[in-house]
């Protein structure tokens, strides 16, 4: 995934997580880093509240990872 840090921040802002999106920018998470993130990274490494962190991981990070890695299998 060739997303820049700004792309990741924009994605989460547009997904309804503007406050949490800033944490991705602060931690300099780009597309490649996002695809490598594990649940614990999102829940504890970004210093964001637990509720939004769970939603971000389950509804976005996991989905993006599954989509990306499924495409690689083709």
């Amino acid at each position: 995934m060739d997303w820049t840090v700004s792309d990741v921040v924009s994605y989460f802002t547009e997904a309804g997580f503007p406050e949490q999106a800033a944490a991705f920018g602060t931690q300099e998470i780009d597309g490649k880093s996002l695809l490598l993130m594990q649940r614990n990274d999102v829940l504890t490494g970004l210093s964001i509240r637990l509720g939004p962190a769970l939603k971000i991981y389950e509804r976005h990070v996991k989905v993006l990872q599954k989509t990306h890695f499924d495409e690689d299998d083709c």
Side-chain angles (χ1 to χ4, degrees):
M1 182 179 289
D2 296 325
W3 287 4
T4 65
V5 173
S6 294
D7 293 333
V8 172
V9 171
S10 294
Y11 173 83
F12 286 109
T13 300
E14 291 171 18
F17 299 98
E19 292 177 25
Q20 294 77 17
F24 286 88
T26 300
Q27 295 298 322
E28 299 180 8
I29 304 295
D30 61 9
K32 290 178 183 174
S33 299
L34 185 65
L35 292 176
L36 295 173
M37 292 187 85
Q38 296 182 358
R39 186 175 190 264
N40 197 47
D41 298 327
V42 177
L43 297 183
T44 61
L46 295 175
S47 301
I48 57 179
R49 292 183 316 244
L50 182 58
L54 286 168
K55 291 175 188 170
I56 286 169
Y57 182 74
E58 292 295 326
R59 298 180 188 168
H60 297 280
V61 175
K62 266 177 61 172
V63 172
L64 290 168
Q65 289 172 338
K66 181 172 177 17
T67 302
H68 177 75
F69 292 118
D70 284 352
E71 287 175 359
D72 282 355
D73 291 341
C74 294

